[in-house]
Amino acid sequence: MEGFEQLNDILVNLFRDILYLEEEAMKRMGYRDLSMNDWHIIDAIGDGAPKTMSEIAARLSITVGSLSTSMNGLCKKGFVERKRGEDDRRKVYIRLTDKGVEAFRAHEKFHHDMINSVTEDQTREEFAVLIKSLTKLTDFFRSFGKTGG
């Protein structure tokens, strides 16, 4: 297929660079003490209603145990806070602090700007093709992970 090598090169470089470049961009915005793992957790918590550790872990496809270590660090850094449930003290609810909401919104803006830079000059048809192609790529990776390749 014509363009195979070019597309392969684009995807390989994109996947190699994206997390690093995103983390660097967030550092330039003043968030030097957060890793990409921290950003994923902050994003999973969101700026809405508090979530349980189980809800956050499920959204990230990790165990609650794996989440706990990272959550401890985010609490110490002042981005999230824990609160026991009033009805069921066994449940722990997590929410972003004001500092965490500020970070969440900065990260959200980065993503908004990234999407705008990709789509600002596209026609509706080009945008539809982009969505279709990236959906196929996402489906490939999700099915690959389930079947083991």
Side-chain angles (χ1 to χ4, degrees):
M1 171 183 245
E2 189 175 321
F4 175 88
E5 288 183 25
Q6 183 181 9
L7 182 58
N8 185 63
D9 186 58
I10 290 168
L11 290 175
V12 167
N13 287 315
L14 179 65
F15 288 125
R16 185 188 67 218
D17 294 344
I18 196 164
L19 293 178
Y20 171 77
L21 295 172
E22 184 174 5
E23 186 173 8
E24 288 302 306
M26 298 315 298
K27 285 179 181 177
R28 283 193 302 271
M29 293 175 82
Y31 298 100
R32 299 193 184 297
D33 57 344
L34 294 173
S35 67
M36 279 314 301
N37 185 51
D38 292 335
W39 284 110
H40 291 145
I41 294 168
I42 288 170
D43 184 57
I45 297 167
D47 63 351
K51 294 179 176 59
T52 64
M53 291 283 285
S54 297
E55 290 171 323
I56 298 164
R59 181 156 183 210
L60 296 169
S61 299
I62 61 175
T63 66
V64 172
S66 296
L67 179 61
S68 292
T69 302
S70 297
M71 197 61 70
N72 290 338
L74 284 169
C75 284
K76 286 179 186 174
K77 294 174 188 176
F79 289 94
V80 300
E81 65 182 15
R82 294 180 171 115
K83 185 177 180 184
R84 292 243 175 237
E86 292 180 19
D87 294 342
D88 184 348
R89 303 284 297 157
R90 294 172 296 177
K91 283 191 175 181
V92 176
Y93 291 92
I94 307 296
R95 76 169 193 85
L96 297 178
T97 61
D98 289 343
K99 182 179 177 180
V101 169
E102 182 181 301
F104 173 81
R105 292 197 178 133
H107 190 236
E108 194 173 51
K109 182 184 180 324
F110 171 83
H111 279 261
H112 180 79
D113 293 347
M114 177 180 63
I115 297 302
N116 278 346
S117 76
V118 171
T119 62
E120 66 186 350
D121 296 330
Q122 287 189 325
T123 65
R124 288 180 190 246
E125 293 79 16
E126 289 170 329
F127 185 72
V129 169
L130 177 63
I131 295 295
K132 183 177 179 179
S133 298
L134 292 176
T135 299
K136 283 184 170 186
L137 187 60
T138 299
D139 292 345
F140 167 78
F141 281 117
R142 287 183 178 157
S143 68
F144 187 85
K146 290 178 184 173
T147 62

